[in-house]
């Protein structure tokens, strides 16, 4: 019986060490990502506030166009659709990344 109890405490200690280690690693990763985003925003803003706002506006318009193209009713086939393809791809990549980060951050274990 003593061996079972020792094995239980050892496995419990290993589990807690792994859980705490993962939590700390995710916290460090999240803080590093946030710091990088803040640094990019700060450097961009200090270089050119108008450029930063214009870039955010253009990116938002591209995402909105991609969402509109993705969820509207299909139209007749017309000529070249390069812009539509690019904006839809950008929208889908952004959406998939956001969904992945949402599920990863929640720790639901479904991924």
């Amino acid at each position: 019986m003593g061996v079972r109890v020792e094995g239980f405490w050892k496995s419990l200690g290993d589990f807690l060490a792994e859980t705490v280690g993962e939590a700390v690693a995710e916290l460090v990763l999240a803080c590093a990502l946030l710091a990088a985003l803040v640094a990019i925003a700060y450097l961009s803003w200090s270089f050119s506030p108008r450029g930063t706002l214009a870039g955010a506006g253009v990116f938002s318009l591209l995402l909105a166009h991609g969402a509109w193209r993705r969820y509207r009713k299909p139209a007749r086939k017309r000529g070249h659709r390069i812009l539509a393809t690019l904006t839809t791809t950008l929208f889908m990549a952004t959406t998939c990344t956001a969904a992945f980060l949402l599920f990863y951050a929640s720790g639901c274990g479904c991924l």
Side-chain angles (χ1 to χ4, degrees):
M1 178 152 184
V3 174
R4 288 187 199 169
V5 173
E6 289 174 10
F8 168 76
W9 288 112
K10 183 178 181 329
S11 64
L12 180 64
D14 291 344
F15 171 75
L16 289 175
E18 181 180 343
T19 303
V20 169
E22 285 182 14
V24 169
E26 287 182 13
L27 182 64
V28 168
L29 181 63
C31 288
L33 180 61
L34 182 61
L37 290 174
V38 167
I40 289 170
Y42 175 74
L43 291 173
S44 175
W45 187 266
S46 66
F47 178 69
S48 173
R50 289 181 184 167
T52 302
L53 292 177
V58 168
F59 186 70
S60 298
L61 285 174
L62 289 174
L63 286 179
H65 184 262
W68 177 71
R69 297 293 296 183
R70 172 72 177 98
Y71 292 110
R72 74 181 186 106
K73 292 186 180 190
R76 294 184 322 232
K77 298 249 182 198
R78 288 184 240 154
H80 301 280
R81 303 262 184 197
I82 294 172
L83 179 64
T85 302
L86 289 175
T87 58
T88 303
T89 303
L90 177 68
F91 172 73
M92 292 305 294
T94 304
T95 304
C96 291
T97 303
F100 172 75
L101 291 175
L102 178 68
F103 287 128
Y104 181 75
S106 69
C108 71
C110 53
L111 292 176

